[in-house]
Amino acid sequence: MNKKNKDGLTEKEFLAGYNAGDYKRPSVTADILILGMNEDYSSLKILLIKRGDHPFIGCWALPGGFIKDNETAHKAAARTLKEETGLSGIYLDQIYTFTKPGRDPRTWVMSIAYLALVPALDEVKGYDDTDDAAWFDLRFTDSAIEISNEEKDVQIVYDLKKEEFVNGAIRYENYVPKPVSKERLAFDHVEILIEAIKRLREQIYYNDQAFCLVEKTFTLPELQRVYEAVLGKPLYKKSFRDMISAKVEETGSEKTSRFKGGRRSTEYTFRS
Amino acid sequence: MNKKNKDGLTEKEFLAGYNAGDYKRPSVTADILILGMNEDYSSLKILLIKRGDHPFIGCWALPGGFIKDNETAHKAAARTLKEETGLSGIYLDQIYTFTKPGRDPRTWVMSIAYLALVPALDEVKGYDDTDDAAWFDLRFTDSAIEISNEEKDVQIVYDLKKEEFVNGAIRYENYVPKPVSKERLAFDHVEILIEAIKRLREQIYYNDQAFCLVEKTFTLPELQRVYEAVLGKPLYKKSFRDMISAKVEETGSEKTSRFKGGRRSTEYTFRS
DNA sequence: ATAATAGTGTCTATCAGACATTATCTG
DNA sequence: CAGATAATGTCTGATAGACACTATTAT
């Protein structure tokens, strides 16, 4: 198999003389949308970093970092995740790669977007109240995205319009965000957020990501609230429990409900 | 909003003095999995390019090209698609970005993979029988991938094993390919193929990509064969027709079946 | 006529949506 | 006890899977 090319070179010779060329190359970052459930399981929360330098100085942004030539994008994302939250071994999946020229005013930068899901157990203490990193409540409906943190008095709001796009024979609708608050996310990070939520909603029923947002043991009311927070709409209790019953099993224990008052709740684990 | 950073620079001053730095940057290509239906609607076909130089000289590979700094990855994919097939305006969607160091022995190259779907109408004449580009029959079952072209006497076969992976709290199965034929696809292009088929199978019921693989008007037997080719398994006729009925409407015409013998077939179009 | 294809009827099991009811716990 | 939460019962309509049957065409 020592085939020679048209210049009579073997592969070894070819590679030895290969010149990477001087055409332009982009920088590539791995940016992460880190999601968790808030304390009372009423909505998703999202971890953001405050930018300390141009461009978008003072804006909140997704954590991220440049990819090195001896690592995969996934590893770069895991590394950034560890640096920003101390967490590893949690759900981390590639979402989409953003490549629009000019999306970073400094230079040519592509971003490979990842989604990370933090179990309710990991409250990620110490990263909650620093000056340049904070958890925000995330509310994502059909008509708006609301990212807010009361303590920091920050509220970032986008109106959403559905717009029709064409791809070959099929049409599909996409959310188009319009900022309506003074503050906004840095770069094109809203679009990463929209794409990640869209994918999570599409997949949650058959890929079971909900189990990455609760503790190892959980109650069905808790789990239902995770689904409702992700899907952005209420679910019928009985239908939900019928649907979920094949995916869980009882631990035998009971748990006092985290929602004050009322009957004790049966404890479950994920059946894999 | 002319905020200054810690060096006392405005954004304009900062960008003017910004140095892209001399850390390494990867080359980034857009590679395309181009799928169509074969002549008798019995299986998918895939367009491959024969490599004329190292590395993987003589191997068949997905069409692709480097992304330029004034275009999106999508535009680069559309450009390559046009060059290789003459087609534009067909279904084209981003699948996944492959970043493993060493995946290209020449230099650091990432690949943003795209999936293109060619309507049955476009037989893509002139690209069918050239020396360095050809359509291959693609058979993708649970246990093997078979890529074959009788005229060229090429047969590329991979055995598939399902392997369990863990991502946070959830486990999932992935196909792991093992080449069993002498010939094989260049680079990590099998993995792109596997990922693209997986995504297509997940989405076809609610994203309606099947309509991008038939002509503008089609019959239900044709459409069913598209679903069966994509999913790699037979479907019940009645269930299929019930499921699809809300998505199509009759044109009022009939069509002689492309499957020889038997009754004439009702003609439909896609209802959007 | 025969074989192949196109299209419909019907039964069952399952499941989401919807609403009502019972059970258990806190204060 | 009142009020809140947890859990179950039951009806309806839609739908996938399965199989049987009728209708139409080429050879």
Side-chain angles (χ1 to χ4, degrees):
Chain A
M1 279 307 285
N2 244 332
K3 270 194 179 171
K4 296 184 179 184
N5 70 2
K6 61 182 193 302
D7 300 324
L9 298 174
T10 65
E11 174 160 13
K12 203 170 175 186
E13 293 161 350
F14 169 87
L15 289 175
Y18 182 77
N19 185 338
D22 53 359
Y23 49 81
K24 258 183 138 176
R25 295 169 171 223
S27 297
V28 182
T29 67
D31 293 328
I32 324 174
L33 188 77
I34 306 174
L35 295 182
M37 291 301 293
N38 71 357
E39 292 64 29
D40 62 357
Y41 278 60
S42 65
S43 82
L44 289 169
K45 60 183 183 183
I46 173 178
L47 185 68
L48 297 175
I49 305 289
K50 192 173 193 170
R51 288 189 55 78
D53 202 347
H54 298 300
F56 297 99
I57 187 169
C59 281
W60 294 90
L62 300 186
F66 289 101
I67 301 169
K68 300 173 182 167
D69 68 343
N70 62 351
E71 66 182 4
T72 60
H74 188 281
K75 192 177 162 196
R79 180 167 47 81
T80 301
L81 183 62
K82 178 100 187 188
E83 286 167 12
E84 298 296 343
T85 67
L87 296 174
S88 59
I90 68 171
Y91 180 90
L92 184 61
D93 198 27
Q94 192 188 115
I95 297 296
Y96 196 81
T97 300
F98 293 81
T99 61
K100 196 148 87 188
R103 56 178 293 284
D104 188 317
R106 289 169 294 186
T107 176
W108 188 19
V109 182
M110 294 179 181
S111 165
I112 306 179
Y114 280 78
L115 171 65
L117 300 179
V118 178
L121 183 67
D122 303 299
E123 279 301 335
V124 198
K125 307 283 189 203
Y127 299 89
D128 208 321
D129 252 342
T130 64
D131 192 41
D132 61 347
W135 285 100
F136 290 72
D137 274 341
L138 170 63
R139 232 163 285 268
F140 192 123
T141 70
D142 244 24
S143 59
I145 299 172
E146 231 186 280
I147 301 163
S148 58
N149 182 313
E150 278 196 25
E151 288 174 31
K152 296 199 176 286
D153 195 30
V154 176
Q155 198 170 28
I156 303 172
V157 182
Y158 293 86
D159 273 355
L160 292 179
K161 244 191 343 189
K162 283 198 174 176
E163 206 163 294
E164 201 169 72
F165 289 84
V166 174
N167 193 356
I170 63 180
R171 295 153 203 261
Y172 61 99
E173 290 195 322
N174 250 359
Y175 288 115
V176 178
K178 201 183 85 181
V180 293
S181 57
K182 193 172 176 188
E183 299 211 56
R184 60 193 67 184
L185 294 181
F187 305 101
D188 53 2
H189 288 182
V190 205
E191 292 173 42
I192 296 181
L193 169 61
I194 292 172
E195 193 64 31
I197 295 288
K198 192 182 122 199
R199 287 277 285 275
L200 185 55
R201 286 180 176 175
E202 280 173 5
Q203 297 183 358
I204 192 168
Y205 276 108
Y206 65 88
N207 274 354
D208 298 328
Q209 284 101 332
F211 297 100
C212 301
L213 287 165
V214 292
E215 300 180 30
K216 211 163 202 155
T217 66
F218 50 84
T219 68
L220 296 192
E222 283 167 3
L223 193 61
Q224 181 170 351
R225 285 176 188 236
V226 171
Y227 273 84
E228 290 174 337
V230 167
L231 298 171
K233 65 177 183 189
L235 299 176
Y236 287 93
K237 190 170 26 170
K238 185 55 164 46
S239 311
F240 173 77
R241 295 170 89 97
D242 287 348
M243 178 274 292
I244 214 73
S245 65
K247 301 182 177 182
V248 298
E249 47 190 331
E250 301 188 14
T251 65
S253 307
E254 286 190 340
K255 226 180 183 177
T256 302
S257 171
R258 76 173 60 221
F259 315 114
K260 298 297 153 61
R263 183 172 168 177
R264 287 168 66 79
S265 191
T266 312
E267 195 183 69
Y268 291 84
T269 57
F270 180 39
R271 160 184 291 158
S272 56
Chain B
M1 280 306 286
N2 244 332
K3 270 194 180 171
K4 297 185 179 183
N5 70 3
K6 61 184 192 302
D7 299 324
L9 298 174
T10 65
E11 175 161 13
K12 204 170 171 183
E13 291 161 351
F14 169 86
L15 290 175
Y18 184 76
N19 185 341
D22 55 357
Y23 50 80
K24 259 183 138 177
R25 295 169 171 224
S27 297
V28 182
T29 66
D31 293 327
I32 324 174
L33 188 78
I34 306 174
L35 295 181
M37 292 301 294
N38 72 353
E39 292 65 28
D40 63 357
Y41 277 60
S42 65
S43 83
L44 289 168
K45 61 183 182 183
I46 172 178
L47 186 68
L48 297 175
I49 305 288
K50 192 174 193 170
R51 287 190 55 79
D53 202 348
H54 296 301
F56 296 100
I57 187 169
C59 282
W60 294 90
L62 300 187
F66 289 102
I67 301 169
K68 300 174 183 166
D69 69 342
N70 61 351
E71 66 183 4
T72 61
H74 189 281
K75 193 178 162 194
R79 180 166 47 79
T80 301
L81 183 63
K82 178 100 187 189
E83 285 167 13
E84 298 295 344
T85 66
L87 296 173
S88 59
I90 68 172
Y91 180 90
L92 184 62
D93 198 26
Q94 190 187 118
I95 298 295
Y96 197 82
T97 300
F98 294 82
T99 61
K100 196 148 86 188
R103 54 179 295 284
D104 188 318
R106 289 170 294 186
T107 176
W108 188 18
V109 183
M110 295 180 180
S111 165
I112 306 178
Y114 280 79
L115 171 65
L117 301 178
V118 178
L121 183 66
D122 302 299
E123 278 303 333
V124 198
K125 308 284 188 203
Y127 299 89
D128 207 321
D129 252 342
T130 63
D131 192 43
D132 62 346
W135 285 100
F136 291 71
D137 275 341
L138 170 63
R139 232 163 285 269
F140 192 122
T141 71
D142 244 23
S143 59
I145 299 173
E146 231 186 280
I147 301 163
S148 57
N149 182 312
E150 278 197 25
E151 287 174 32
K152 297 201 176 285
D153 195 31
V154 175
Q155 198 171 27
I156 303 171
V157 182
Y158 293 85
D159 274 355
L160 292 179
K161 246 191 342 191
K162 284 196 173 176
E163 207 163 291
E164 201 169 71
F165 290 84
V166 173
N167 194 356
I170 64 180
R171 295 154 205 259
Y172 61 99
E173 289 195 324
N174 250 0
Y175 289 115
V176 178
K178 201 183 84 183
V180 292
S181 57
K182 192 171 175 190
E183 300 210 58
R184 61 192 66 181
L185 295 181
F187 305 100
D188 54 1
H189 288 182
V190 206
E191 292 173 43
I192 297 181
L193 170 61
I194 291 171
E195 192 64 31
I197 295 288
K198 192 181 122 201
R199 287 278 285 276
L200 185 55
R201 285 181 178 174
E202 280 174 5
Q203 297 183 358
I204 192 168
Y205 276 108
Y206 64 88
N207 274 353
D208 299 328
Q209 284 100 331
F211 297 100
C212 301
L213 287 165
V214 292
E215 302 179 29
K216 210 163 204 156
T217 67
F218 50 84
T219 68
L220 296 191
E222 284 167 3
L223 194 61
Q224 182 171 351
R225 286 176 185 234
V226 171
Y227 273 84
E228 290 174 336
V230 167
L231 297 172
K233 66 176 184 189
L235 299 175
Y236 288 93
K237 191 169 28 169
K238 185 57 163 47
S239 310
F240 173 77
R241 295 168 89 97
D242 287 348
M243 178 273 291
I244 214 71
S245 65
K247 300 183 177 182
V248 298
E249 48 191 328
E250 301 188 13
T251 65
S253 306
E254 285 189 339
K255 228 180 182 174
T256 303
S257 171
R258 76 173 59 222
F259 315 114
K260 297 296 152 61
R263 182 170 168 178
R264 288 167 66 78
S265 190
T266 312
E267 195 182 70
Y268 290 85
T269 57
F270 179 40
R271 161 185 290 158
S272 55

